[in-house]
Amino acid sequence: MRIAQVAPLYESVPPKYYGGTERVIHFLTEALIGMGHDVTLFATKDSNTSAMLIPICPQSLRLSKACKDPIAYHILMIEKVFKQVQDFDILHFHIDYLPFSMIRRNNKGAYCLSTMHGRLDIHELYPLFKEFYDIGLVSISNSQRKPMLWANWVGTVYHGLPEDLFVPYQKTGKYLAFLGRVSPEKGLFAAIEIAEKFGMLLKIAAKIDDNDRVYYEKEIKPLLNHHLIEYIGEIGETEKNDFLGNAYALLFPISWPEPFGLVMIEAMACGTPVIAFPFGSVPEIMKEGKTGYMVNNTDQAIKALEKLRGFNRRNCRRVFEEFYTSTRMACNYLDIYKGIKNNKKTLSVIRG
């Protein structure tokens, strides 16, 4: 099958540092190629892929100091994709609603679908998605689609990682880990509170976006002087295995409708249990007692951390291998591709 993967341009594929969407696109692309499919990737020039790369801009826009208007590059990319539409069987978009108008006007043969990677409980999106009721959408969790159950969902596919990406660690770690982004909804403030009350070192590997800088300076930075808190900054893919694998647990005390939460399955792959607040996709992705525990507040988190002493970390890895590999993700997407190509709407949920 001839497949085009159309990636956001804010990060390279895979990203150098933070960037869950681009990382998933990379894993999906490589898995599809490994299965013998012909994949073309539309992405930044500094991407690293086995696919045929169609570069749109010199480097990831987040790391480019010269970029003032990122949407301009995305519109350019959409135009380039549809100029080559006859070269593909499937156009798989990962850039939210930007290609919807062109998808609707596509009558040259390639079948299109768009995976939604972000939150959908935003009022401004409702009239837009109601207008484009005919666009085939894929959700990354069942929870993600709840605000728009009426949309044209053709499947749910959970994210996946290559089985050999992370090596599981069997020894219980001696610090807590927070990996992600410094923002109110990601729960770093709560993670710091949990670590201090539990009395264990918290290592923070997180990026700070410009729009979260004020929050960081006002709410987080004053807390970093505590002897149990260590801020590392952003880390890359090669550093994650040690960071997560050597941790006692990953803290994921989010306060928003997380569409998926890639870091949860990264921790599972390393054999590290997760303590998470049960928002968004968390109840779907977590396997209570096997991959960690879901809690509602700081006090419950402390009790859950106590329960992890002697925790069987092999269970985390087993859950990852059963549900969250990139091979499984690619197979589930292929089922959707084939269903669309055969003009059969996929009504059942495809689990990752």
Side-chain angles (χ1 to χ4, degrees), residues 172-189:
T172 301
K174 297 183 179 180
Y175 63 86
L176 301 171
F178 180 94
L179 176 62
R181 181 163 48 88
V182 176
S183 65
E185 67 271 16
K186 290 291 187 178
L188 179 53
F189 188 94

Side-chain angles (χ1 to χ4, degrees), residues 66-338:
C67 179
K68 304 299 182 184
D69 186 358
I71 298 299
Y73 283 110
H74 286 86
I75 298 302
L76 174 63
M77 177 169 64
I78 293 168
E79 182 65 20
K80 288 181 177 291
V81 170
F82 280 97
K83 277 187 174 181
Q84 302 178 51
V85 66
Q86 292 176 312
D87 295 336
F88 305 108
D89 300 307
I90 294 289
L91 301 181
H92 188 171
F93 292 93
H94 302 268
I95 53 175
D96 295 323
Y97 50 77
L98 291 178
F100 282 6
S101 185
M102 289 291 283
I103 290 174
R104 174 176 282 178
R105 286 158 178 79
N106 168 43
N107 58 4
K108 295 184 179 179
Y111 295 89
C112 304
L113 76 156
S114 291
T115 294
M116 297 292 104
H117 288 273
R119 65 189 300 173
L120 299 176
D121 61 329
I122 300 172
H123 177 73
E124 289 80 8
L125 294 180
Y126 301 157
L128 177 67
F129 279 72
K130 282 186 178 293
E131 168 60 36
F132 291 101
Y133 63 90
D134 51 338
I135 303 298
L137 306 176
V138 175
S139 51
I140 56 177
S141 68
N142 298 332
S143 171
Q144 182 198 29
R145 62 165 72 177
K146 285 181 179 178
M148 298 184 185
L149 290 174
W150 40 262
N152 186 27
W153 299 106
V154 297
T156 290
V157 179
Y158 294 151
H159 291 336
L161 312 173
E163 280 197 57
D164 60 354
L165 182 64
F166 295 128
V167 176
Y169 286 50
Q170 302 304 327
K171 292 184 178 180
T172 301
K174 297 183 179 180
Y175 63 86
L176 301 171
F178 180 94
L179 176 62
R181 181 163 48 88
V182 176
S183 65
E185 67 271 16
K186 290 291 187 178
L188 179 53
F189 188 94
I192 292 173
E193 183 181 18
I194 292 167
E196 291 180 359
K197 287 187 175 181
F198 187 60
M200 182 176 282
L201 174 67
L202 173 68
K203 293 188 178 184
I204 303 166
K207 80 163 182 173
I208 307 171
D209 282 337
D210 289 340
N211 57 348
D212 291 316
R213 180 65 60 177
V214 173
Y215 170 76
Y216 167 76
E217 294 289 342
K218 183 178 180 181
E219 303 292 341
I220 300 299
K221 191 175 181 179
L223 306 177
L224 300 183
N225 291 326
H226 196 284
H227 70 282
L228 289 177
I229 309 301
E230 180 182 344
Y231 178 68
I232 298 171
E234 280 192 77
I235 62 174
E237 193 73 65
T238 57
E239 301 164 280
K240 282 186 180 180
N241 203 168
D242 283 344
F243 178 76
L244 290 172
N246 284 314
Y248 179 78
L250 170 75
L251 297 184
F252 197 63
I254 59 170
S255 60
W256 74 303
E258 177 74 62
F260 185 83
L262 189 65
V263 68
M264 288 190 288
I265 67 171
E266 290 176 331
M268 293 176 201
C270 295
T272 301
V274 180
I275 303 297
F277 286 3
F279 294 103
S281 68
V282 170
E284 286 179 63
I285 307 307
M286 289 281 290
K287 308 299 179 187
E288 186 73 2
K290 292 185 177 181
T291 63
Y293 298 98
M294 289 177 282
V295 298
N296 295 305
N297 52 52
T298 300
D299 290 338
Q300 289 183 9
I302 302 302
K303 293 178 181 178
L305 286 168
E306 291 285 358
K307 290 163 64 175
L308 291 181
R309 301 190 191 281
F311 189 83
N312 186 349
R313 295 168 69 97
R314 292 185 180 88
N315 286 334
C316 292
R317 179 68 187 191
R318 290 190 188 108
V319 170
F320 161 73
E321 291 174 353
E322 183 176 358
F323 295 102
Y324 303 120
T325 66
S326 56
T327 298
R328 182 158 187 173
M329 172 176 63
C331 287
N332 288 339
Y333 270 119
L334 282 169
D335 287 343
I336 293 178
Y337 297 163
K338 292 171 184 176

Side-chain angles (χ1 to χ4, degrees), residues 8-33:
L9 302 172
Y10 299 102
E11 305 289 346
S12 60
V13 177
K16 303 296 186 292
Y17 299 103
Y18 184 88
T21 297
E22 295 82 5
R23 186 165 283 108
V24 168
I25 295 168
H26 174 67
F27 297 146
L28 173 59
T29 296
E30 298 302 314
L32 290 171
I33 291 172

